[in-house]
Amino acid sequence: MQSVEEIPVALTHLFDMVHHIKKIEKGTFLFQEGSIADELYIVKSGILQISKIIPDGRELTLRMCSGGDFIGELNIFSPSERYLLTARVVESGEVAVILKDELEEMLAQNLSLSLEFMKWMSQQYRKTQTKFRDLVLHGKKGALYSTLIRITNSFGIKTNHGILIELPLTNQELANFCGTSREVVNRLLSELRKANIISIDKGSITIHDLEYLKREIDCEDCPKEICKID
């Protein structure tokens, strides 16, 4: 899991701009799509889920954010005054709050900070691009397999039995990552369990054969910093 200390050196200057620290509680929203976007957040602790809610009520989860991640960046230098996505708290913690207007002014004046911020934004774009590539090219099964690989890279811990995903997710939450239904995810997970590719114990998934998942989606072995959900 990424820590605050892993923020690119130039971007650590953002901490000089922190307006205040805000506690976040599991099950609440840091912000919701359509609300006024006048703040940027740096996650100090806890986990947040960034999602897009489509008109029929379905949810597509784009990424999970943990310590050191920036949230709300899509509204920087944007004419839109409202958030385009929703941030729900999955695990309680704290976020550092930076005012959007002050950050924009700092980026306009500090070239090195602006370049580092652009690099970081480019990496976020690459993560999103590769995720949608998998969703489009490999169908529902490929979307789940890709999601499991990404979650493993973000929250996986090697054990004697395989790679334990240290992030409890319901099948509905997995379905939200894949843009499909819970019933489809239930069936696909059952097939993987029967084939001993994975096992599930008290809601925690252990991957026993990661290479199988990669082969099934013609994995391109992208760098782990790209093939992640955080």
Side-chain angles (χ1 to χ4, degrees):
M1 188 180 298
Q2 187 182 30
S3 67
V4 173
E5 287 76 13
E6 290 173 339
I7 295 176
V9 175
L11 292 187
T12 58
H13 292 300
L14 292 180
F15 283 104
D16 297 333
M17 302 181 61
V18 170
H19 187 265
H20 64 276
I21 303 299
K22 180 177 181 178
K23 291 187 178 296
I24 52 175
E25 299 294 333
K26 180 178 179 179
T28 63
F29 294 94
L30 180 59
F31 57 80
Q32 292 181 274
E33 183 177 351
S35 58
I36 298 297
D38 54 3
E39 296 177 341
L40 175 82
Y41 306 94
I42 303 174
V43 182
K44 296 193 68 178
S45 60
I47 300 175
L48 293 102
Q49 176 179 299
I50 309 301
S51 304
K52 176 73 176 180
I53 309 296
I54 55 181
D56 64 5
R58 286 182 295 163
E59 182 177 4
L60 177 61
T61 300
L62 299 177
R63 61 186 173 122
M64 304 290 284
C65 296
S66 54
D69 284 327
F70 296 93
I71 301 177
E73 73 284 350
L74 293 180
N75 294 92
I76 297 296
F77 294 114
S78 169
S80 173
E81 296 181 351
R82 300 184 181 276
Y83 289 111
L84 304 175
L85 303 171
T86 293
R88 181 169 63 85
V89 182
V90 175
E91 183 179 289
S92 299
E94 293 182 334
V95 295
V97 180
I98 297 174
L99 301 183
K100 176 188 172 186
D101 291 346
E102 292 183 6
L103 176 60
E104 290 177 341
E105 183 177 350
M106 173 68 79
L107 290 173
Q109 296 175 357
N110 189 321
L111 178 58
S112 62
L113 179 62
S114 297
L115 289 175
E116 286 299 322
F117 199 84
M118 289 171 62
K119 290 177 183 178
W120 176 79
M121 286 285 289
S122 176
Q123 180 165 303
Q124 300 311 305
Y125 172 74
R126 288 181 64 192
K127 288 181 184 179
T128 302
Q129 185 183 50
T130 55
K131 175 178 178 176
F132 282 111
R133 175 199 64 197
D134 293 339
L135 289 174
V136 171
L137 295 181
H138 300 293
K140 296 174 181 178
K141 182 173 77 171
L144 176 62
Y145 291 8
S146 171
T147 296
L148 290 174
I149 293 169
R150 293 172 191 278
I151 295 176
T152 296
N153 288 336
S154 294
F155 299 100
I157 295 178
K158 290 185 178 180
T159 71
N160 293 332
H161 305 290
I163 303 176
L164 171 67
I165 296 176
E166 195 186 35
L167 178 69
L169 291 171
T170 66
N171 287 3
Q172 183 59 62
E173 288 170 330
L174 277 175
N176 292 344
F177 273 107
C178 304
T180 188
S181 68
R182 183 183 60 200
E183 290 74 20
V184 169
V185 167
N186 289 345
R187 175 175 57 80
L188 293 173
L189 289 176
S190 178
E191 292 174 357
L192 289 174
R193 292 177 70 178
K194 290 178 180 178
N196 200 36
I197 305 301
I198 69 169
S199 60
I200 304 176
D201 181 32
K202 298 179 180 178
S204 295
I205 299 176
T206 297
I207 309 293
H208 301 298
D209 192 346
L210 185 62
E211 292 305 314
Y212 172 85
L213 300 178
K214 290 183 176 182
R215 288 195 303 271
E216 287 294 298
I217 63 169
D218 299 319
C219 179
E220 298 178 1
D221 283 322
C222 297
K224 283 191 176 182
E225 60 267 23
I226 298 300
C227 187
K228 300 174 70 177
I229 62 166
D230 59 350

